[in-house]
């Protein structure tokens, strides 16, 4: 018996063309929009455990209906991360999150709505549209191939991605031990697939001076923490390296107590984005070596590296397969892009998994009251992702 190599198996599948797949998912679009409307109107800000619990129960019920089985609840610190797993060993993981940045009450002023081919509402783009797409990808594969053929396929949805996945990253690392492919359902921009993501780090630079009456000889009696903090902004900015793709941005700052007191305390948060792990670690070292520039002030650095980068080396082979699927389904040429935002596919890539992202809804306005998607992107992206996953399931 001749055993085909992975490359030979892949080549044998490249003739695949399945217009019925597109038609079936387009027929399911009204259902997908109804489910997205319900999911969008169920608010799920990352910091509200009660709201997240309500949203998780909805997704459990919906997933049980669509996928024929209840998810595992992976619980940590009061949060419920959901995992649907077919077979014993995870091999292909579809990745998403159901938390949003929108605070409770947003839906009252910005409810789900559809106007022509555009849907709006909190979380429709980032990334509840992607959650619905991922569920229907699995549903389609169940209907077309049967549950036995999905051995190794998982759908993982967490509820703390917007704050760096602090309680779910342990579950991600565990999945990544055996996972060969990770497909992310974060939103797509201009129909482009995300093949590279920068890693993220956040630092709180805390300055300690000495308070004094502002009317006294402050240069003698006080140490102005604001002076030190302002001096550090230039130092931090200089650590960035645009050519290497490393971006450093001071984002928020706080200082002082009263208008007539030399401020003793000051601090600022710094956002770091890096294309490579080496750059991420270089910045980490340099920020932790910050020294005071004002006599007798002290500096403390809190925070650190959060999400590693997702380099294009982890995604290019998957993109090539997806590009073939796009042509076979009649969608034409598929384009890719690099983005500055991190996501959970970064952790899979860091663990050695082949990872790709951007199979969610096509839209924009993330993290704002202008969030929107093209309605038709739900079925189209689902068809593209289902075609990709079908090929991956056929590989050894």
């Amino acid at each position: 018996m001749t055993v085909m190599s992975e490359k030979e198996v892949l080549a044998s599948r490249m003739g695949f063309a399945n217009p019925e797949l597109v038609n079936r998912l387009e027929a399911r679009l009204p259902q997908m929009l109804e489910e997205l409307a319900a999911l969008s109107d169920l608010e799920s800000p990352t910091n509200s455990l009660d709201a997240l619990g309500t949203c998780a129960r909805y997704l459990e019920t919906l997933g049980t209906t669509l996928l024929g089985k209840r998810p595992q609840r992976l619980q940590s610190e009061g949060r419920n991360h959901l995992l649907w797993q077919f077979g014993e060993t995870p091999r292909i993981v579809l990745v998403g999150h159901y938390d949003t940045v929108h605070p409770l009450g947003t839906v009252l002023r910005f409810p789900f709505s559809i106007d022509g081919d555009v849907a709006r509402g909190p979380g429709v783009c980032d990334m509840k549209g992607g959650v619905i797409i991922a569920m229907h990808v699995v549903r389609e594969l169940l209907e077309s191939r049967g549950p036995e053929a999905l051995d190794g396929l998982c759908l993982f949805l967490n509820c703390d991605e917007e704050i760096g996945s602090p309680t779910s990253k342990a579950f991600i690392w565990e999945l990544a031990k055996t996972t060969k492919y990770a497909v992310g359902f974060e939103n797509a921009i201009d129909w482009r697939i995300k093949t590279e993501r920068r890693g993220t780090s956040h630092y709180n630079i805390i300055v300690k001076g000495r308070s004094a009456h502002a009317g006294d000889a402050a240069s003698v009696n006080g140490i102005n923490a604001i002076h030190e903090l302002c001096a550090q902004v230039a130092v931090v900015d200089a650590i960035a390296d645009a050519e290497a793709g490393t971006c450093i941005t001071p984002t928020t700052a706080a200082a002082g107590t009263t208008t007539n007191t030399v401020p003793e305390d000051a601090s600022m948060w710094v956002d770091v984005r890096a294309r490579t792990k080496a750059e991420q670690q270089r910045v980490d070292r340099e920020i932790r070596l910050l020294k005071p520039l004002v006599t007798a002030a002290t500096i403390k650095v809190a925070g650190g590296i959060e999400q590693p980068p997702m380099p294009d080396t982890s995604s290019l082979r998957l993109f090539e397969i997806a590009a073939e699927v796009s042509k076979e389904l009649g969608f034409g040429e598929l384009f890719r892009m690099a983005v500055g935002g991190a996501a959970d596919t970064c952790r899979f890539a860091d663990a050695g998994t082949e990872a790709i992202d951007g199979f969610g809804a096509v839209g924009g306005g993330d993290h704002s009251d202008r969030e929107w998607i093209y309605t038709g992107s739900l079925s189209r992206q689902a068809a593209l992702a289902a075609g990709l996953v079908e090929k991956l399931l056929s590989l050894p």
Side-chain angles (χ1 to χ4, degrees), residues 43 102-110:
E43 296 185 291
H102 300 282
L104 291 176
T106 301
V107 72
L108 298 177
R109 65 175 184 275
F110 184 47

Side-chain angles (χ1 to χ4, degrees), residues 91-115:
R91 189 169 71 93
I92 304 169
V93 178
L94 311 187
V95 186
H97 67 90
Y98 65 91
D99 61 318
T100 75
V101 301
H102 300 282
L104 291 176
T106 301
V107 72
L108 298 177
R109 65 175 184 275
F110 184 47
F112 181 86
S113 65
I114 297 178
D115 182 8

Side-chain angles (χ1 to χ4, degrees), residues 1 6 10 41 63 86 97 107 121 137 154 184 190 224 238 250 275 281 297 311 313 322 333 346 359:
M1 177 180 177
E6 184 174 272
L10 180 59
D41 282 343
F86 296 86
H97 67 90
V107 72
V137 167
C154 299
D190 294 332
N224 195 316
R275 290 185 64 189
Q281 292 170 342
T313 51
E333 185 175 2
C346 294
F359 287 87

Side-chain angles (χ1 to χ4, degrees), residues 90-356:
R91 189 169 71 93
I92 304 169
V93 178
L94 311 187
V95 186
H97 67 90
Y98 65 91
D99 61 318
T100 75
V101 301
H102 300 282
L104 291 176
T106 301
V107 72
L108 298 177
R109 65 175 184 275
F110 184 47
F112 181 86
S113 65
I114 297 178
D115 182 8
D117 63 352
V118 171
R120 295 181 173 86
V124 293
C125 189
D126 186 15
M127 64 162 289
K128 291 183 174 181
V131 170
I132 297 300
I133 290 171
M135 283 191 163
H136 279 269
V137 167
V138 181
R139 171 64 180 267
E140 166 60 30
L141 294 170
L142 279 169
E143 291 185 348
S144 62
R145 294 172 63 96
E148 296 79 10
L150 303 192
D151 184 35
L153 182 64
C154 299
L155 170 60
F156 175 72
L157 302 177
N158 67 2
C159 63
D160 61 354
E161 189 274 345
E162 292 291 2
I163 57 171
S165 308
T167 71
S168 61
K169 61 184 177 183
F171 300 118
I172 293 173
W173 292 127
E174 187 63 28
L175 286 170
K177 287 180 180 179
T178 60
T179 297
K180 187 169 179 60
Y181 311 108
V183 181
F185 287 80
E186 292 279 1
N187 64 294
I189 301 171
D190 294 332
W191 304 92
R192 295 174 183 266
I193 297 302
K194 297 172 179 176
T195 55
E196 180 181 345
R197 286 185 174 278
R198 293 184 190 180
T200 59
S201 307
H202 289 98
Y203 299 93
N204 190 14
I205 298 173
I206 304 164
V207 175
K208 188 74 171 181
R210 185 170 61 239
S211 62
H213 194 292
D216 292 339
S219 61
V220 176
N221 299 320
I223 300 172
N224 195 316
I226 291 179
H227 288 169
E228 179 63 51
L229 188 67
C230 291
Q232 293 297 329
V233 170
V235 177
V236 168
D237 282 345
I239 298 173
D241 186 339
E243 188 173 331
T246 303
C247 176
I248 300 180
T249 307
T251 54
T252 64
T257 53
T258 68
T259 58
N260 59 354
T261 302
V262 174
E264 180 172 324
D265 299 296
S267 64
M268 68 175 174
W269 279 95
V270 176
D271 179 288
V272 178
R273 308 289 167 131
R275 290 185 64 189
T276 67
K277 201 167 183 178
E279 268 295 281
Q280 202 173 36
Q281 292 170 342
R282 176 190 69 81
V283 171
D284 187 76
R285 289 192 301 270
E286 294 196 28
I287 285 185
R288 295 189 188 283
L289 291 174
L290 290 176
K291 302 296 183 184
L293 300 174
V294 176
T295 303
T298 61
I299 294 178
K300 177 182 177 182
V301 176
I305 295 172
E306 293 179 355
Q307 289 272 30
M310 184 183 85
D312 60 6
T313 51
S314 72
S315 62
L316 289 184
R317 192 177 77 120
L318 294 181
F319 177 76
E320 290 173 359
I321 301 172
E324 287 293 332
V325 171
S326 181
K327 292 176 182 177
E328 291 161 0
L329 295 179
F331 296 157
E333 185 175 2
L334 190 66
F335 296 94
R336 60 191 177 95
M337 67 184 302
V339 294
D344 289 320
T345 44
C346 294
R347 295 195 189 279
F348 282 98
D350 191 53
T353 300
E354 291 186 63
I356 194 168

Side-chain angles (χ1 to χ4, degrees), residues 34-43 55 58-59 128 131-132:
E34 286 182 9
E35 293 161 354
L36 178 57
L39 186 57
S40 177
D41 282 343
L42 278 175
E43 296 185 291
C55 192
Y58 171 78
L59 288 170
K128 291 183 174 181
V131 170
I132 297 300

